[in-house]
Amino acid sequence: MPGETKNQDTDGRGARRRSVVSLIADVTVPVVVYYALLAFGWSSGSALVAATVAIGVLVLAVAVKERRVDGFGVFVLGVCAVTLLVSLVSGDERLLLAKDPFTSGLAGIAFLGSLVFGKPVTFFISRRIRALTPARRLGWDRLYAAEPEFRKLHRVSTAGWGVVLVTESAARLVLIYLLPASVMVGLSTAIELTAITGVVAWTIWYRRRSAGHGLEKSLRTADAAPAAV
């Protein structure tokens, strides 16, 4: 009925907003905790420990509340843990500068590795945002299995992210040991932001191009999967 459809659409939009907020929280919580504690005078090591604990608590809360493991949150937790380990094993200035490109490169390797083992990373990120019920997640899994263009979309976009992250990471690591540390403090961040901005713009363009070829209809079909199967 029209009223029921309207309520379902409203509930769907609300659930999608919550999913997006959760995804953003996975990324921003450890960063906010880290820099906030630095501002309050905490040491970098202590702030990193607190940030790692914070994202760990968030992942655990999602697991308890939704009875499922938040894969992206676990990935962020792993990156935080690696960053903490690298920071603790040495006080060398250049090694500390290298921890950001190192973790960025690790993320790129994870993206590329997902092309060989399991499904591409961008599939899981997109499914988390758009497929908000077990039935709809199943619909996305079926779409991935049945639709070659859908698989291509996520394999190409995941490959793009992986190549960009590994490349910018390698470039920053090389420059860290070629240029003065005082120069790389700012330049490293500039390189990273430029690379991320570029790959985000490319991802949006590629997604729209794929949608223009009729893929969006298949996505809407998967999103409209019934609440129960």
Side-chain angles (χ1 to χ4, degrees):
M1 295 179 66
E4 292 178 348
T5 300
K6 183 177 180 180
N7 289 336
Q8 290 174 353
D9 290 342
T10 301
D11 292 343
R13 286 193 296 269
R16 184 167 296 173
R17 283 194 296 268
R18 291 192 296 271
S19 183
V20 172
V21 169
S22 176
L23 188 65
I24 293 173
D26 286 343
V27 177
T28 59
V29 164
V31 176
V32 170
V33 170
Y34 176 73
Y35 284 107
L37 293 178
L38 285 184
F40 280 100
W42 285 45
S43 68
S44 179
S46 298
L48 277 171
V49 170
T52 304
V53 170
I55 185 60
V57 170
L58 187 62
V59 169
L60 180 61
V62 170
V64 171
K65 182 179 179 180
E66 301 184 11
R67 296 182 179 180
R68 66 181 180 86
V69 176
D70 179 0
F72 187 74
V74 171
F75 171 73
V76 175
L77 175 61
V79 170
C80 288
V82 171
T83 302
L84 175 61
L85 179 62
V86 172
S87 298
L88 293 178
V89 297
S90 174
D92 179 75
E93 186 179 34
R94 293 187 186 275
L95 185 57
L96 291 176
L97 280 174
K99 74 178 188 299
D100 286 339
F102 176 78
T103 52
S104 181
L106 185 65
I109 291 172
F111 271 78
L112 295 175
S114 72
L115 298 174
V116 180
F117 305 101
K119 297 184 179 70
V121 169
T122 60
F123 168 80
F124 291 105
I125 296 175
S126 298
R127 188 182 66 174
R128 176 172 173 180
I129 295 173
R130 298 187 60 161
L132 306 173
T133 66
R136 290 182 176 179
R137 287 192 288 271
L138 181 60
W140 270 58
D141 289 335
R142 288 173 174 170
L143 181 61
Y144 186 87
E147 180 58 66
E149 285 299 317
F150 186 59
R151 292 196 297 272
K152 179 182 176 182
L153 167 68
H154 286 292
R155 290 186 66 83
V156 171
S157 57
T158 294
W161 273 88
V163 168
V164 169
L165 290 174
V166 169
T167 301
E168 65 88 12
S169 169
R172 286 196 287 159
L173 286 171
V174 170
L175 291 175
I176 282 171
Y177 286 94
L178 290 178
L179 299 177
S182 58
V183 173
M184 284 307 300
V185 168
L187 183 58
S188 179
T189 300
I191 293 172
E192 180 181 25
L193 291 178
T194 300
I196 295 299
T197 300
V199 74
V200 166
W202 171 80
T203 301
I204 294 172
W205 170 83
Y206 183 67
R207 171 58 188 268
R208 288 176 177 172
R209 177 177 176 271
S210 298
H213 290 168
L215 184 58
E216 189 64 27
K217 182 178 179 180
S218 297
L219 287 171
R220 287 197 297 269
T221 300
D223 287 341
V229 291

